[in-house]
Amino acid sequence: MQKLLFVCLGNICRSPSAENIMNYLIDKQGLQDQVVCDSAGTAGYHIGKPPDRRMTAAAQRRGIVLLGRARQFSTIDFEKFDLILAMDQANYEDILELDPEKKYAHKVKMICEFCQEYPDHEVPDPYYGGADGFDYVINLLLDACDGLLKTVATPNQR
Ligand code: 4NP
């Protein structure tokens, strides 16, 4: 079983989208026995809150329901997860700063490494922008999560 943790700043927009998109793809491909997902924020401003309603609306437009409540990333997560996926460079650096001995650096990656079609290197923060930014995040994450799932799971024979 591969344990994946998606991490952004607030855990109310990008990382809960990545988590729920990944679960949507896992369900669609019947890979529930191979991969489990969670998400967290490097900051604690929104602990306990559900995903942002603008993000929820954008996910809904692609048929994806956003579940979960915000929590903050903790150093325990370095042990608990096999792969920690940062949405942007700041998230990546904030995570690595919590591992000064670089014991877990091999587990931390940028989600956009797994993009197949999008040229982006980061998932842009949609929080202070318009609805288009939220739609862009969903489409970008659908591409990245599909690529990620291909590298962490073996396709089911049907
Ligand atoms: P997220 O988006 O990191 O994708 O959840 C943000 C959420 C909240 C804030 C910034 C980004 N904020 O400044 O409160």
Side-chain angles (χ1 to χ4, degrees), residues 7-105:
V7 180
C8 62
L9 177 65
N11 193 211
I12 54 168
C13 296
R14 294 165 293 173
S15 62
S17 297
E19 176 192 354
N20 284 282
I21 285 170
M22 199 66 177
N23 282 331
Y24 165 84
L25 296 173
I26 288 166
D27 282 353
K28 216 161 77 166
Q29 298 176 34
L31 300 171
Q32 298 90 335
D33 56 338
Q34 294 189 48
V35 191
V36 287
C37 302
D38 192 8
S39 65
T42 56
Y45 328 125
H46 298 285
I47 292 171
K49 287 194 202 156
D52 185 285
R53 62 168 66 83
R54 300 164 296 171
M55 197 75 251
T56 299
Q60 194 63 59
R61 290 193 276 276
R62 297 300 306 266
I64 297 156
V65 178
L66 296 190
L67 305 174
R69 296 274 168 173
R71 72 167 179 94
Q72 191 166 14
F73 180 84
S74 143
T75 52
I76 301 158
D77 293 316
F78 285 122
E79 289 283 354
K80 287 190 8 196
F81 292 90
D82 300 301
L83 206 48
I84 296 166
L85 297 138
M87 299 295 125
D88 66 27
Q89 193 64 32
N91 308 147
Y92 181 81
E93 285 164 19
D94 289 343
I95 294 164
L96 288 185
E97 214 164 277
L98 297 171
D99 174 31
E101 291 174 18
K102 299 287 164 276
K103 205 172 145 194
Y104 303 101

